[in-house]
Amino acid sequence: MAKNILTLCLVALTLCHLTIAFEPKPLQDFCVADPTSPARVNGFACKNPMLVQANDFFFSGLNIAGNTSNPVGSKVTPVTVAQLPGLNTLGIAMARVDYEPWGVNPPHVHPRASEILTVLEGSLLAGFVTSNPENRLITKVLHKGDAFVFPMGLVHFQRNMGYGKAVAIAALSSQNPGIITIANTVFGSNPSIAVEVLAKAFQVDKNIVDQLQSKF
Ligand SMILES: *[C@@H]1O[C@H](CO)[C@@H](O)[C@H](O)[C@H]1NC(C)=O
């Protein structure tokens, strides 16, 4: 009996370890990304620690508003391992998001990260949709100082509620969260997904699919 309990505990501990092994704890002080290394690892190989400088842990420019002159009226300024090599293996990243009045950060997914968004200026409608079969839409109007979390892998969006410009800072639980923008992925893939597939999937005429594909 005692042996069975011990086995159960070991199995539970192993499973627990497997879940936290996702972007695991570093086994050293840091592993600054060396994108020039030919080594293929999950993430980037480490730069020689003796050559690491303060600037490897530094990013400047989050005070600068992104250019929102685009069809959706928003701009994301990312700070991931691609911009800040010191984030390699640490499992975190951030972004600044600017929104013009009524601008939208369109529905998208981060395949590798949960996100917590803090509003610095303006008001945003934030929302996400739960997975099948409920597909429940959960929304909240956020004001300056409010924070809202988007759980990992769920489709989410924000819209500026129109009272001037809005600015938010997002924190993400991956050094490389990834972005899958739904419209671009579905209607703007290269090469295109066959019109027949999308017409049936979205239950619309093929000419509507053509029109959507021409925009992305
Ligand atoms: C913002 O982007 C638009 C469209 O790409 C461009 O025409 C404009 O010059 C940009 N503005 C600034 C200040 O960079």
Side-chain angles (χ1 to χ4, degrees):
M1 185 61 188
K3 201 177 156 204
N4 282 348
I5 290 172
L6 185 66
T7 311
L8 259 179
C9 288
L10 280 175
V11 169
L13 276 173
T14 311
L15 288 177
C16 177
H17 176 74
L18 285 179
T19 47
I20 60 170
F22 184 77
E23 293 204 61
K25 280 187 299 194
L27 303 174
Q28 54 212 341
D29 281 354
F30 51 75
C31 169
V32 171
D34 177 7
T36 63
S37 168
R40 293 277 169 267
V41 295
N42 186 19
F44 291 100
C46 307
K47 189 171 168 177
N48 180 348
M50 301 309 289
L51 301 178
V52 162
Q53 303 290 336
N55 276 349
D56 290 316
F57 303 96
F58 174 76
F59 178 92
S60 181
L62 281 178
N63 57 316
I64 299 166
N67 185 347
T68 57
S69 299
N70 57 56
V72 292
S74 74
K75 182 71 179 180
V76 175
T77 305
V79 188
T80 71
V81 70
Q83 293 80 28
L84 206 174
L87 286 175
N88 195 37
T89 73
L90 297 185
I92 54 170
M94 65 189 300
R96 171 183 173 134
V97 193
D98 289 275
Y99 313 78
E100 65 182 31
W102 305 111
V104 165
N105 185 7
H108 63 279
V109 168
H110 303 294
R112 292 177 286 276
S114 295
E115 170 179 346
I116 181 164
L117 186 87
T118 305
V119 179
L120 301 186
E121 290 298 338
S123 299
L124 296 174
L125 173 74
F128 67 86
V129 181
T130 69
S131 56
N132 299 353
E134 291 82 9
N135 300 131
R136 181 178 162 207
L137 173 65
I138 295 176
T139 62
K140 180 85 182 161
V141 175
L142 309 176
H143 304 288
K144 187 172 177 168
D146 294 347
F148 195 73
V149 65
F150 304 108
M152 183 181 298
L154 298 188
V155 174
H156 61 281
F157 61 89
Q158 302 99 39
R159 183 188 195 205
N160 184 351
M161 296 307 287
Y163 313 109
K165 286 180 173 278
V167 184
I169 292 281
L172 298 122
S173 62
S174 168
Q175 67 190 45
N176 182 22
I179 304 176
I180 298 170
T181 304
I182 306 303
N184 302 58
T185 308
V186 174
F187 297 108
S189 68
N190 184 19
S192 301
I193 299 175
V195 172
E196 292 75 13
V197 172
L198 295 179
K200 204 155 265 183
F202 287 84
Q203 298 284 292
V204 293
D205 289 343
K206 287 181 187 171
N207 60 326
I208 294 177
V209 174
D210 283 336
Q211 194 187 336
L212 285 163
Q213 284 181 327
S214 71
K215 303 242 187 234
F216 294 97

